[in-house]
Each structure stands twice: as C-alpha cells, then as structure tokens.
Amino acid sequence: MERAVEVDRGAYPDAVTPWEQGAWREAVFAWVDAQLARHGMRLSGTPRVRLRPWSVLMRIPMGRAAPVWFKANPPAGVFEGPLTAALARWVPEYVLRPLAVDAGRGWSLLPDGGPLFREMEATPRAWEELLGGYARMQRALVPRVGDLGALGVPRLRVSEVPASFDRLRAGNSSLDPDQRDRLDALGTRLADWCAELDALGVPDSLDHADLHEGQLFHPGPGRFTYFDWGDAIVSHPFASLRIPAQRAADRYGPEVLPRLRDAYLDPWTDLGLSAAELRRAAHLAWRLGALGRARAWTRLFPSATGTTDAARSLLETGDAPPF
C-alpha cells in the first residue's frame, strides 16, 4: 500500500526527482523503517516531503518526540552523507551525528537539530559567534584535507581557480556579449589576485560554500550546528565568509562587516600571519565565494551549465569586497 505523504514542490513543480519512481519510494521507506527500528524508533504520523532539483528531503514525525529527517542527494552530492558522518567523528561539537548513512545511494537519516538560526531573534554578536565557531571547525579540519578528498569531496586549490573560472565562463551559454567582455577583462585580474592569495599561505580546508542562516541550528547560547554539506568543497577556507557576511550586512547594515570578518579570522591567528595579512587574505578570497556558487550550480546541474544562476554568480566574482 502506498504511504500517505504531504509533498511540497515549492517553485519547482516540474522538477524530476527519484521520488516519481514508485520502487524508489518503497525502497526509501523500507530503509527508513529499518534504520529507525535499529534506534528503537518508529514513524508516527504523515511524513512531509520537500522535492527540489538538488535533493529529496523528508520530515518524518516521531509522535511527541522531535522529528527525524531523510535526505537523498543527487549523484554530484552523494558525498554528503559520508562527509556528515566523518565530521561527526572529527568535530562532533559543530555538526549533526547521522542516525544512518547509505553512502552508495546518497541517503542519510538525521536527527532534528533544534531551532534554525533564521528563526531566532539574533544580534550581530550572535553572527560573530557563529562565524568564529565555524572558523574553529575549519581550522580543526586542516589536517583532514586528504581524508575529505577520499570521501569524494571536490578539491580546488587556489592556483586552480583561474582555470576553473575560464571553464565556467566558456561553458555558460546564457552570458550575453557584454557580460562575456566583462568576464574576459576580469580573468587576468583574478589570476593576479589568486597568486597573491596563494602566496599568503593559508592552508586549504572545508568550505561549506552556502553557509547562511537557514543552514545552521542554534540550539542554545553560544552553540551552533552547521549542516547541509551538499555544496561543500575543499579549497581556500576564507571563501566561506562571503555568504554569511552578506546576509548579516543585509540585516544590520555594512558597518557590521569588519566585526564579522575579524571574528571569523581570530581562530586563524596561529598561522603566524599578521592581522593585516589575514585581512588581506579575506579581502582576496571574497571573490572566490561567488565563484564557488557558480561551480556548485554547474556541478549539481551538469546538463544546464548555462543557467542564469551560474551566470549571475560568475558576474558577482567581479564585485569589490566591501571591507
């Protein structure tokens, strides 16, 4: 018998996902039931399924207990489950510990993480805390770069960024001639910026690549849980700063940016770089944050490399850093 579910397709009513396949749905529920039973749990109520081109996410009610979450990643993000499990071993204070992971199928079963940060009455100080915590996690993961690659997390060294930029620009069919000219002019300057950034010597780490207030939980004062690692990449860690800093500036104004930048940079002071050098690295890496979004759109949607989302992110690489 078909399970009763509520389905949310959002702004993507025509998106084709594995959920359309009855056998796939049956396999999901069989796996979920088995994994819940391993933990002495069982579904109680009607699941809600959110279908998006990049994932299938199901909220599984547990009666009076907190819900459990099933997630299925597309092939380009299949590493997320094993990555989440590995992060739970390496940096458990910063992430969710999955209840189960099927690495081959890209499936994860996750506990509820509490209230989302975007649901809280946050202050600029809270944003400083979340960025400082995130940077401490990245700093702790520097020795794990090889392990992250073994899990299938993509890697892009700073020295490889200009070639990646050229490939993304050449493969994007939605750019008009004027936009292509702007990107052509930007290419040479980007190579110079990347050379300077690389020379500063900040080591690669894990870049979430889409860290915003809807991608972290805030279960208590000073506590933050970072999740949704499907866009992650091993690259220059400071590229992560752009998205959360922009979100905070939109809310509180650009005057908060220096404080947020310095809170993020504080855990990196043990590298032996001066404050001025760290700030220069953050300034240079700002552009890599936009390029990371262009790469994510292209990687997750390889048949639609000319999407306007990827083009917009490419063009935003030319935006001057605001600090």
Side-chain angles (χ1 to χ4, degrees):
M1 175 182 288
E2 186 77 12
R3 302 270 188 127
V5 296
E6 299 175 8
V7 177
D8 164 25
R9 294 182 176 273
Y12 304 90
D14 300 322
V16 178
T17 71
W19 185 260
E20 280 68 51
Q21 305 167 23
W24 190 87
R25 295 195 301 272
E26 291 178 7
V28 165
F29 278 112
W31 184 77
V32 166
D33 288 343
Q35 301 310 316
L36 289 176
R38 288 180 56 243
H39 292 277
M41 306 165 72
R42 60 177 295 179
L43 183 152
S44 178
T46 302
R48 294 205 303 264
V49 182
R50 194 192 73 164
L51 303 180
R52 299 294 185 266
W54 52 87
S55 70
V56 174
L57 183 67
M58 179 163 58
R59 181 186 185 278
I60 303 167
M62 293 283 110
R64 295 184 178 180
V68 171
W69 301 83
F70 166 83
K71 185 173 184 179
N73 290 91
V78 73
F79 61 81
E80 183 178 1
L83 171 61
T84 303
L87 293 177
R89 297 192 301 272
W90 299 335
V91 285
E93 65 271 35
Y94 298 110
V95 297
L96 294 172
R97 179 177 297 277
L99 299 171
V101 169
D102 186 320
R105 292 189 286 194
W107 294 355
S108 303
L109 193 65
L110 299 161
D112 190 71
L116 286 171
F117 185 64
R118 69 182 177 198
E119 298 169 349
M120 313 296 287
E121 291 293 332
T123 64
R125 176 60 182 163
W127 286 79
E128 293 177 40
E129 292 174 345
L130 77 86
L131 283 170
Y134 175 73
R136 287 191 292 275
M137 180 187 66
Q138 287 183 300
R139 188 71 186 89
L141 290 172
V142 167
R144 297 288 187 177
V145 163
D147 298 321
L148 290 166
L151 291 172
V153 183
R155 175 100 187 252
L156 187 72
R157 296 171 175 85
V158 173
S159 61
E160 300 167 338
V161 167
S164 175
F165 174 81
D166 289 342
R167 289 192 298 271
L168 291 168
R169 177 188 57 187
N172 195 303
S173 60
S174 69
L175 295 165
D176 63 37
D178 177 66
Q179 291 171 331
R180 288 194 179 279
D181 289 344
R182 287 163 54 192
L183 292 178
D184 288 344
L186 179 62
T188 300
R189 287 182 290 159
L190 181 64
D192 292 340
W193 292 324
C194 287
E196 181 184 356
L197 179 61
D198 204 21
L200 286 168
V202 177
D204 285 350
S205 186
L206 186 65
D207 172 11
H208 184 285
D210 192 25
L211 184 65
H212 57 74
E213 59 268 61
Q215 306 281 44
L216 64 146
F217 299 108
H218 188 22
R223 296 173 55 207
F224 300 92
T225 303
Y226 309 92
F227 71 98
D228 201 350
W229 296 96
D231 292 340
I233 187 169
V234 176
S235 191
H236 198 289
F238 293 6
S240 296
L241 181 59
R242 179 173 183 142
I243 291 175
Q246 284 180 321
R247 295 295 188 105
D250 289 343
R251 179 174 297 190
Y252 304 110
E255 61 272 13
V256 303
L257 290 175
R259 293 169 52 190
L260 299 183
R261 175 202 59 198
D262 291 348
Y264 173 78
L265 292 176
D266 184 68
W268 299 95
T269 55
D270 67 339
L271 293 176
L273 297 173
S274 68
E277 288 171 324
L278 286 171
R279 288 172 178 173
R280 179 59 178 167
H283 184 92
L284 293 165
W286 181 266
R287 300 176 190 276
L288 273 60
L291 191 57
R293 296 308 305 143
R295 282 196 307 271
W297 282 110
T298 302
R299 178 166 56 86
L300 291 172
F301 306 104
S303 62
T305 55
T307 62
T308 56
D309 292 301
R312 183 180 65 252
S313 296
L314 271 176
L315 292 164
E316 288 173 352
T317 306
D319 294 347
F323 46 66

